[in-house]
């Protein structure tokens, strides 16, 4: 990269918002997939949509790769920088441009934090439904790029189901606007295609989100079971009953241990699994449905079932669940979070096989998952200081992914393919199908400069591949400058 | 008209003519009224997979929606987005290609929110699968959503997988006097309405509640204490679903709107749906089109496909080329 090109980019922003010093770049080398890191040439910190457009257009002219980044919480390495490109960080485009309680929409910039949308909507009795576990830090721009999920997807869908309009700058520099304030559209669904593009099409500048009335009433039950299988059977019984819970979550023994250690969550003793079920709706509806749910849970013979008696108890249940990923950090210096999906009827079988694989290779796996939609989150624990440990953990992760696809599921329910799972894409899609996706990508980005190295296997990997930290670095003895 | 009876034959059909367009039961005839050889999906019929415990089914494109609704109903499930023109014979492929959803889209979303996966034939004659067969999936680009409303201009749908929900225990319909303000207030309420429309003839607001019967009775009393009206019958929904209110030989349009665009125009019959987010407009003939001040799509009748069209952007052409390099399917504005 000639210095002249970098200088032209730098000229688009004030010097304090175009970072090139190693100490400044270090913070952007990695995202939620901490095993990978790569140092970009520079980090641009735009504050307006016009600045983003100018940056992308110049990158296009210079054929310079760029990686858009929000809060860097991607668990699939979706915002991992490329060493021959720049990072465009969008955190300062953090304005809620419009909140229309009558039409129940919010128009936001990409750097707005997920929970801030609900915070702004709450005084009007509204909320933004998608709730990834990282919602207190992750941005809407990142949610849109990766079609983030959360604990309420069975009933409410994913990010894509809540995006009504998008204004974006494509990798060609073209600025497009699709959809808008209406919940309906005519013609092809461009917002649907753009959402989940993993940063390969361009950068969203303004996003119109639908807001929903906040449910009036919740009934949240935490039930502990002696075996994981019993918890799984309880899920099947709830599904078969005709109820449509807002959430159906399971945590296994190791995940429970982590939540206890991290946030002092309390669970019934002697349980190998905990099920969380939540009903929501108008109070009259919940009153009828909770009776039915309580009967089903009773019949499933839990060690103990604890309905939340008030909002505080409900919040405590969710705190334990949502902290589970980071809580596992208490049990192990490193871990990989997997995100495969299996048909719900095969959940029990999938968990059994994960357990077998885990014992076979001697690697601990904690399970936290969205049981209602078959979305597994095996947390594969390893110690990156041990030679070959990361590779062994990744190998186990790969076997789990292949199992999910073989069972008729998916490589990813909500984290996206990113860098992490790109080599497994051919397990789910044929060469022709990947070819088509590459042609679609090329329509948006003929030069391949938008977030290169993500989603597609093999060739397109200009940088990355700096596995893990240096052992001395990890021990805090050295640090990169 | 070519009538393939398998997905392999569908591929051949696509390659058999320089320009082709798929049709189902032709209940929205304007959408396929283009100069192209028609491929009928009539023989691509049947539910290929259905496991109620998964909340999903897979069916061939030519399967009548009525067949699907019946099969789901037997297992206490339904398509929450309320497909339109069911009695008229509309097919699953037609529902997706037209992107048409009914009043039920108000609560949980439209056809684009329930489609999970597609198998389709692209312009080069390749049979491809996109999306998945499980209720949650973020692998690869979301082309299934893109196909919702794409009018067969980017590929021919062969088979689709959908998410379904358990059918609510009961429903209750209320008819009240009201306007855009009523719609806005009801849409934000604690009641979680299942549908919220405006009737074409009377201009009355209709609300559908769905859930356990004892709960609905209490909620209905609260609504009627607030808005003057009455408990009505569920019959109005099938009238709306089948466009029985519209001019039979006239022009029928669909527009995506917001509640502030609900104000009626003289001489138009209109069904406002989905809490003021969709307008279906019926005109006796095309001469009244000039008065339409909304962007709209013509479902049937002798009128341009797009009313007040948006200028196409470069990406539309480029994505079209990616899926259909030889222009085997018509363009959106043909």
């Amino acid at each position: 990269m000639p210095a002249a090109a970098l200088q032209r980019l730098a000229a688009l922003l004030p010097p304090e918002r175009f970072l090139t010093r190693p100490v400044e770049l270090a913070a952007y080398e990695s995202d939620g997939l901490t095993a990978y890191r790569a140092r970009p040439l520079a980090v641009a910190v735009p504050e307006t949509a016009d600045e983003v457009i100018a940056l992308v257009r110049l990158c296009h002219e210079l054929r310079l790769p760029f990686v858009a980044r929000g809060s860097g919480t991607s668990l699939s390495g979706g915002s991992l920088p490329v060493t021959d490109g720049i990072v465009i960080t969008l955190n300062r485009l953090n304005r809620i441009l419009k909140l229309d309680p009558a039409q129940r929409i919010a128009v936001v910039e990409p750097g707005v934090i997920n929970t801030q949308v609900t915070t702004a909507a709450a005084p009007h009795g509204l909320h933004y439904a998608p709730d990834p576990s990282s919602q207190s830090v992750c941005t809407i721009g990142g949610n849109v790029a990766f079609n983030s999920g959360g604990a309420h997807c069975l009933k409410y869908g994913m990010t894509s189901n809540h995006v009504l309009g998008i204004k974006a700058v494509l990798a060609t520099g073209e600025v497009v606007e699709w959809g808008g304030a209406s919940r309906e559209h005519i013609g092809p669904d461009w917002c649907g295609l753009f959402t989940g593009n993993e940063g390969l099409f361009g950068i969203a500048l303004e996003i119109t989100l639908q807001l929903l009335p906040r449910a009036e009433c919740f009934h949240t039950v935490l039930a502990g079971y002696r075996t994981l299988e019993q918890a799984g059977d309880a899920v099947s019984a709830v599904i078969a009953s005709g109820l449509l819970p807002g959430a159906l979550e399971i945590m296994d023994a190791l995940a429970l241990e982590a939540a206890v250690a991290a946030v002092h969550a309390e669970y019934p003793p002697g349980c190998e699994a905990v099920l969380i079920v939540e009903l929501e709706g108008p109070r009259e509806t919940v009153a009828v449905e909770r009776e039915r749910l309580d009967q089903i849970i009773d019949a499933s013979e839990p060690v103990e079932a604890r309905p939340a008696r008030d909002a505080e108890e409900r919040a405590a249940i969710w705190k334990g669940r949502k902290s589970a990923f980071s809580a596992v950090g208490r049990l192990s210096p490193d871990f990989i979070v997997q995100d495969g999906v299996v048909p719900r009827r095969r959940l029990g079988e999938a968990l059994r096989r994960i357990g077998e694989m885990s014992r076979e290779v001697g690697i601990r796996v904690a399970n936290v998952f969205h049981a209602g939609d078959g979305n597994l989150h095996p947390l594969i624990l390893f110690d990156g200081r041990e030679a070959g440990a990361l590779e062994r953990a990744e190998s186990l992760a790969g076997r789990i992914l292949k199992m999910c696809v073989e069972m008729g599921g998916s490589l990813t329910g909500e984290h996206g393919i990113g860098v992490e799972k790109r080599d497994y894409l051919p397990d789910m899609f044929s060469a022709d199908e990947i070819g088509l996706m590459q042609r679609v990508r090329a329509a948006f980005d003929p030069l391949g400069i938008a977030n290169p190295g993500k989603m597609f296997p093999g060739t397109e990997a200009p940088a990355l591949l700096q596995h893990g930290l240096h052992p001395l670095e990890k021990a805090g003895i050295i640090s990169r400058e | 008209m070519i009538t393939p009876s398998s997905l392999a034959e569908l591929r051949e059909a696509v390659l058999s003519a320089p320009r082709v367009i798929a049709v189902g039961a032709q209940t929205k005839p304007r959408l396929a009224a283009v100069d192209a050889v028609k491929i009928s999906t009539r023989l691509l019929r049947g539910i290929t997979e259905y496991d109620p415990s998964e909340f999903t089914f897979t069916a061939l494109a030519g399967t009548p929606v009525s067949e699907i609704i019946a099969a789901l109903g037997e297992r206490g499930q339904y398509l929450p987005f309320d497909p339109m023109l069911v009695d008229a014979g509309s097919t699953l492929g037609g529902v997706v290609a037209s992107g048409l959803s009914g009043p039920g889209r108000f609560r949980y979303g439209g056809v684009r929110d329930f489609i999970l996966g597609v198998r389709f034939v692209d312009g080069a004659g390749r049979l491809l699968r996109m999306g998945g067969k499980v209720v949650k999936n973020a692998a690869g680009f979301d082309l299934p959503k893109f196909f919702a409303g794409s009018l067969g201009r980017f590929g021919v749908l062969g088979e689709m997988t959908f998410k379904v929900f358990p059918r609510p225990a009961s429903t209750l319909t209320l008819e009240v006097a009201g306007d855009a303000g009523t719609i806005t207030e009801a849409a934000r309420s604690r009641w979680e309405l299942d549908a919220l429309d405006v009737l074409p003839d009377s201009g009355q607001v209709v609300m559908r509640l769905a859930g356990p019967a004892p709960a609905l009775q209490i909620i209905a009393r609260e609504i009627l204490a607030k808005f003057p009206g009455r408990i009505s019958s569920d019959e109005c929904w099938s009238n709306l679903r089948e466009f029985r209110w519209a001019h039979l030989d006239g022009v029928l349009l669909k527009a995506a709107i917001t509640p502030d665009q609900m104000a009626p125009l003289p001489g138009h019959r209109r069904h406002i749906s989905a809490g003021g987010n969709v307008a279906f407009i019926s005109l006796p003939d095309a001469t009244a089109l000039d008065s339409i001040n909304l962007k709209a799509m013509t479902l049937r009748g002798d009128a341009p496909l797009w009313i007040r069209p948006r200028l196409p952007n470069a990406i539309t052409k480029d994505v079209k080329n990616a899926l259909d390099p030889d222009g085997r399917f018509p363009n959106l504005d043909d």
Side-chain angles (χ1 to χ4, degrees):
Chain A
M1 187 71 219
L6 219 50
Q7 268 177 9
R8 285 186 63 195
L9 277 162
L12 295 175
L13 297 172
E16 70 277 13
R17 292 199 281 114
F18 193 82
L19 317 178
T20 52
R21 291 166 51 217
V23 65
E24 296 169 324
L25 300 181
Y28 297 89
E29 286 179 0
S30 202
D31 61 11
L33 185 69
T34 50
Y36 292 74
R37 48 182 57 210
R39 180 169 295 183
L41 296 173
V43 174
V45 190
E47 289 183 347
T48 66
D50 285 343
E51 287 178 350
V52 179
I53 294 167
L55 285 163
V56 169
R57 287 184 174 161
L58 189 50
C59 282
H60 182 256
E61 186 191 325
L62 298 168
R63 297 175 164 258
L64 182 75
F66 63 89
V67 175
R69 177 186 163 112
S71 298
T73 57
S74 171
L75 292 167
S76 59
S79 54
L80 183 75
V82 288
T83 53
D84 60 348
I86 65 165
V87 165
I88 300 176
T89 181
L90 297 154
N91 301 78
R92 293 201 189 179
L93 275 83
N94 58 358
R95 285 155 287 238
I96 295 178
L97 301 172
K98 182 177 177 183
L99 191 103
D100 180 347
Q103 177 57 10
R104 293 162 287 125
I105 56 161
V107 182
V108 305
E109 291 187 321
V112 169
I113 306 288
N114 175 296
T115 43
Q116 287 173 348
V117 181
T118 287
T119 304
H124 308 283
L126 301 169
H127 80 297
Y128 175 62
D131 63 339
S133 290
S134 56
Q135 68 185 131
S136 58
V137 283
C138 66
T139 64
I140 296 295
N143 292 175
V144 168
F146 280 78
N147 194 13
S148 305
H152 293 80
C153 294
L154 181 64
K155 186 169 179 180
Y156 293 107
M158 318 213 332
T159 298
S160 186
N161 303 99
H162 301 269
V163 172
L164 303 178
I166 290 176
K167 177 182 175 186
V169 55
L170 306 181
T172 53
E174 184 183 7
V175 174
V176 293
E177 281 186 63
W178 296 306
S182 177
R183 276 162 165 72
E184 186 57 285
H185 73 281
I186 52 175
D189 190 346
W190 291 98
C191 288
L193 180 61
F194 190 89
T195 306
N197 76 76
E198 302 205 354
L200 272 58
F201 291 175
I203 301 179
L205 303 169
E206 284 180 22
I207 303 128
T208 304
L209 301 170
Q210 75 167 4
L211 304 172
L212 301 178
R214 192 179 42 219
E216 178 187 33
C217 184
F218 295 93
H219 176 58
T220 311
V221 183
L222 183 149
Y225 294 89
R226 292 220 189 285
T227 68
L228 203 50
E229 202 162 349
Q230 272 184 304
D233 290 345
V235 169
S236 300
V238 172
I239 290 292
S241 73
L243 293 172
L244 181 60
L248 264 170
E249 304 278 302
I250 291 181
M251 298 167 74
D252 76 357
L254 199 50
L256 296 173
E257 190 189 319
V260 169
V263 296
H264 309 295
E266 274 187 62
Y267 299 106
C271 292
E272 219 182 72
V274 152
L275 168 68
I276 300 168
V277 193
E278 184 165 273
L279 297 172
E280 54 189 60
R283 57 182 184 268
E284 297 87 349
T285 307
V286 173
V288 175
E289 291 182 342
R290 72 176 286 172
E291 270 184 45
R292 177 113 184 77
L293 178 65
D294 291 348
Q295 284 166 4
I296 294 165
I297 298 291
D298 277 350
S300 69
E301 299 180 350
V303 174
E304 191 186 334
R306 294 178 183 168
R309 282 165 300 187
D310 51 37
E312 207 172 302
E313 288 190 359
R314 173 175 178 254
I317 289 174
W318 280 113
K319 188 176 176 195
R321 164 60 188 87
K322 293 209 173 183
S323 67
F325 287 1
S326 44
V328 166
R330 301 278 180 130
L331 303 183
S332 170
D334 297 285
F335 62 92
I336 299 174
V337 184
Q338 280 289 291
D339 180 40
V341 183
V342 297
R344 187 167 34 223
R345 67 181 180 282
R346 301 188 74 172
L347 262 179
E349 181 191 350
L351 292 166
R352 196 165 54 244
R353 282 175 60 185
I354 291 171
E356 285 164 11
M357 286 188 254
S358 156
R359 282 188 295 277
E360 185 191 313
V361 296
I363 296 177
R364 288 190 301 169
V365 178
N367 284 289
V368 181
F369 53 97
H370 308 301
D373 38 38
N375 188 189
L376 303 168
H377 287 312
L379 299 144
I380 299 165
L381 313 189
F382 68 99
D383 184 344
R385 289 168 299 195
E386 285 173 22
L390 171 66
E391 288 73 15
R392 286 195 297 277
E394 286 189 326
S395 156
L396 175 59
R399 288 174 65 190
I400 294 173
L401 283 182
K402 282 175 186 279
M403 175 197 76
C404 291
V405 175
E406 279 163 19
M407 285 185 165
S410 171
L411 294 169
T412 171
E414 54 188 2
H415 298 172
I417 299 291
V419 167
E420 186 204 21
K421 293 180 279 286
R422 59 184 193 144
D423 289 337
Y424 298 96
L425 200 68
D427 289 302
M428 189 162 164
F429 295 104
S430 72
D432 275 350
E433 287 156 0
I434 292 175
L436 176 83
M437 287 195 268
Q438 283 173 325
R439 285 195 300 281
V440 171
R441 189 275 176 97
F444 285 91
D445 179 14
L447 303 177
I449 53 172
N451 212 12
K454 316 296 155 56
M455 192 182 290
F456 296 113
T459 55
E460 194 188 79
L464 62 116
L465 299 178
Q466 193 167 1
H467 275 240
L469 296 178
H470 188 281
L472 290 176
E473 189 175 16
K474 211 158 202 179
I477 296 164
I478 60 165
S479 65
R480 264 177 275 185
E481 180 37 56
Chain B
M1 180 95 80
I2 314 171
T3 312
S5 62
S6 67
L7 294 179
E9 285 181 18
L10 182 63
R11 294 182 54 188
E12 290 168 23
V14 167
L15 294 175
S16 70
R19 186 155 273 219
V20 295
I21 185 90
V23 295
Q26 307 202 60
T27 56
K28 286 86 60 180
R30 180 62 188 90
L31 303 181
V34 285
D35 185 17
V37 173
K38 294 201 164 42
I39 299 175
S40 167
T41 60
R42 190 167 53 87
L43 298 180
L44 296 171
R45 180 167 176 166
I47 297 172
T48 49
E49 277 178 53
Y50 176 37
D51 184 338
S53 73
E54 297 298 328
F55 284 7
T56 60
F57 74 86
T58 302
L60 292 168
T63 313
V65 178
S66 58
E67 242 176 75
I68 291 161
I69 291 174
L72 295 175
E74 276 174 30
R75 308 301 297 266
Q77 297 185 335
Y78 78 132
L79 280 168
F81 65 86
D82 246 357
M84 301 288 272
L85 293 162
V86 176
D87 298 351
S90 72
T91 62
L92 194 63
V95 165
V96 174
S98 66
L100 215 54
S101 308
R105 82 141 0 264
F106 175 74
R107 188 173 195 178
Y108 295 118
V111 53
R112 53 101 60 188
D113 297 296
F114 285 86
I115 187 165
L116 298 171
V118 292
R119 286 177 83 190
F120 71 103
V121 179
D122 74 359
R126 283 178 287 241
L127 179 63
L128 305 170
R129 194 190 294 273
M130 285 288 140
K133 286 190 170 179
V134 280
V135 292
K136 196 174 184 185
N137 172 31
F141 300 138
D142 200 346
L143 279 163
K145 276 202 181 57
F146 182 71
F147 279 119
S150 67
L151 309 184
R153 268 50 171 189
F154 297 83
V156 176
L157 299 165
E159 187 183 75
M160 285 145 279
T161 301
F162 272 83
K163 169 163 127 170
V164 299
F165 277 166
R167 196 175 47 196
S170 68
T171 58
L172 188 67
T173 300
L174 307 176
E175 202 178 309
V176 305
D179 53 17
T182 315
I183 294 271
T184 300
E185 193 177 342
R188 281 172 62 185
S189 68
R190 71 173 195 91
W191 308 317
E192 295 196 5
L193 300 176
D194 187 56
L196 177 60
D197 284 18
V198 181
L199 293 177
D201 301 327
S202 62
Q204 291 277 95
V205 173
V206 275
M207 304 176 181
R208 186 168 66 206
L209 292 164
L216 303 192
Q217 289 295 334
I218 304 170
I219 295 171
R221 278 201 293 278
E222 182 178 308
I223 294 173
L224 293 176
K226 192 163 187 116
F227 305 115
R230 61 186 178 88
I231 290 178
S232 164
S233 89
D234 282 352
E235 203 181 323
C236 66
W237 303 108
S238 58
N239 289 334
L240 295 174
R241 189 183 71 211
E242 302 298 327
F243 293 108
R244 291 196 185 109
W245 54 273
H247 295 283
L248 209 54
D249 298 316
V251 172
L252 182 64
L253 310 173
K254 172 193 164 180
I257 62 165
T258 48
D260 54 2
Q261 295 170 311
M262 277 173 49
L265 290 169
H268 297 184
R269 291 185 194 168
R270 293 173 330 139
H271 162 209
I272 301 291
S273 193
N277 285 278
V278 184
F280 294 110
I281 302 165
S282 172
L283 309 168
D285 54 58
T287 55
L289 278 175
D290 288 347
S291 62
I292 300 293
N293 56 353
L294 302 164
K295 291 184 178 66
M297 178 175 82
T298 304
L299 300 174
R300 64 188 193 206
D302 183 16
L305 179 57
W306 306 104
I307 311 298
R308 300 182 172 267
R310 211 173 245 234
L311 288 176
N313 37 37
I315 191 61
T316 307
K317 184 170 73 54
D318 294 341
V319 170
K320 168 80 173 161
N321 284 338
L323 280 109
D324 179 23
D326 304 326
R328 209 169 278 280
F329 311 119
N331 285 309
L332 274 171
D333 47 10
D334 280 345

